[in-house]
Amino acid sequence: MDKTAECKLVLDTAVLAGKIMLQSGAEIHRVEDTIHRILKVSGMKTAEAFVMPTGLIVTLDDPRMDSMTVVKRIKTRGTNLSRIAEVNDISRRFCSGNISLEEAFHSLKHMKQYTYTALQKYIAQIMVAFFFAILLGGSGWDAVGAGAAGIGMVLILYLGRKIGLNDFFQLLLASAVIAVVAYLAAKNPYQTIQMDIVIIAAIMPIVPGAAITTAVRDTMQGDYVAGGAKALEAFVSAAAIAAGVSFGMILTGVM
């Protein structure tokens, strides 16, 4: 492989690693550090990476050849710590010489998109709602109500993704359904179920805790633009949840 082709492959590998990490919810400074580590292997005089939550720009330049720049737009983001850890492991094994450039690129290219199936994630969200009700001091019937609200939530999220609804409206509708199910559970004449505990427990799986943590860490690292963007994203998600619960309570006549 000639020098130009090798540098192009190094650039593609670094960009792919950064893309996967951004899509998986990694902090900006971690993404830039990983990209820089991979680019150093090229031996080019200039290696720069500019990363934002919604995209990245990576450049390799050297007097011996034409500069190469790649711009990659990130359209979908989530939280997948397993993929972040796997990318870190691949990049460090490559930089230490334990695997070749081709092996590193192949490993990143064929990395599994999801660690768990959608069904497993939905079941986990329902179980989180169920057990959070107990953690909050609720009774067994409160937990059952929270589990029922969790089922309504995951159904809305599933249908929202199927029809291509954006995240804001998915969260808003899911939260509204949680409030309605909690109201119906509290109104049953057979068991005493606390509506507030059911609502709080059921919204816990969709509260943007990871986004808030990432925003704080990016801000502490001096990435104020990225930190502010992440904080705004978390605020919008929280606003959608609050608006959805309020809407559901208005529909049921509680408010």
Side-chain angles (χ1 to χ4, degrees), residues 2-254:
D2 61 33
K3 185 64 176 177
T4 302
E6 181 182 357
C7 289
K8 180 65 170 62
L9 186 56
V10 170
L11 182 62
D12 289 341
T13 302
V15 169
L16 181 57
K19 176 185 175 183
I20 294 172
M21 295 182 77
L22 276 180
Q23 289 176 333
S24 302
E27 308 95 312
I28 297 301
H29 76 91
R30 185 186 298 274
V31 177
E32 289 185 343
D33 178 66
T34 299
I35 291 175
H36 279 125
R37 286 174 182 269
I38 295 174
L39 292 180
K40 282 182 181 179
V41 178
S42 67
M44 298 279 275
K45 183 177 181 180
T46 303
E48 295 290 347
F50 178 67
V51 181
M52 299 172 290
T54 55
L56 53 88
I57 303 171
V58 184
T59 296
L60 276 178
D61 192 16
D62 194 273
R64 297 169 293 175
M65 62 183 68
D66 294 333
S67 63
M68 293 179 283
T69 300
V70 174
V71 179
K72 186 66 67 174
R73 180 79 163 84
I74 307 300
K75 297 181 180 179
T76 58
R77 294 180 300 279
T79 302
N80 192 327
L81 301 182
S82 176
R83 296 190 85 204
I84 295 173
E86 192 171 350
V87 172
N88 278 333
D89 178 62
I90 291 171
S91 68
R92 278 154 178 72
R93 284 192 290 134
F94 166 64
C95 294
S96 62
N98 293 328
I99 59 174
S100 66
L101 176 59
E102 292 80 3
E103 289 173 329
F105 183 77
H106 182 272
S107 298
L108 292 169
K109 192 74 174 177
H110 295 88
M111 186 183 299
K112 288 194 300 183
Q113 183 70 21
Y114 300 107
T115 307
Y116 304 100
T117 65
L119 179 61
Q120 289 173 322
K121 290 180 180 179
Y122 290 143
I123 292 174
Q125 287 178 318
I126 295 170
M127 297 304 292
V128 166
F130 180 91
F131 287 108
F132 249 108
I134 297 175
L135 185 64
L136 293 170
S139 65
W141 285 107
D142 292 330
V144 171
I151 292 173
M153 175 190 68
V154 299
L155 285 175
I156 294 299
L157 293 177
Y158 172 76
L159 292 174
R161 291 190 178 100
K162 278 292 184 182
I163 65 176
L165 202 62
N166 67 47
D167 291 342
F168 179 86
F169 287 105
Q170 284 186 38
L171 292 176
L172 188 147
L173 292 176
S175 302
V177 168
I178 287 172
V180 171
V181 174
Y183 172 81
L184 295 175
K187 283 298 182 180
N188 86 89
Y190 305 106
Q191 296 292 336
T192 301
I193 295 178
Q194 302 175 74
M195 183 177 175
D196 54 346
I197 288 183
V198 171
I199 292 176
I200 295 170
I203 66 173
M204 290 308 295
I206 55 177
V207 169
I212 295 171
T213 302
T214 302
V216 172
R217 294 190 66 176
D218 280 335
T219 302
M220 295 298 290
Q221 289 289 331
D223 295 313
Y224 300 114
V225 173
K230 283 285 186 180
L232 181 59
E233 181 180 353
F235 172 78
V236 170
S237 297
I241 294 170
V245 171
S246 299
F247 180 63
M249 295 177 74
I250 290 171
L251 285 178
T252 56
V254 177

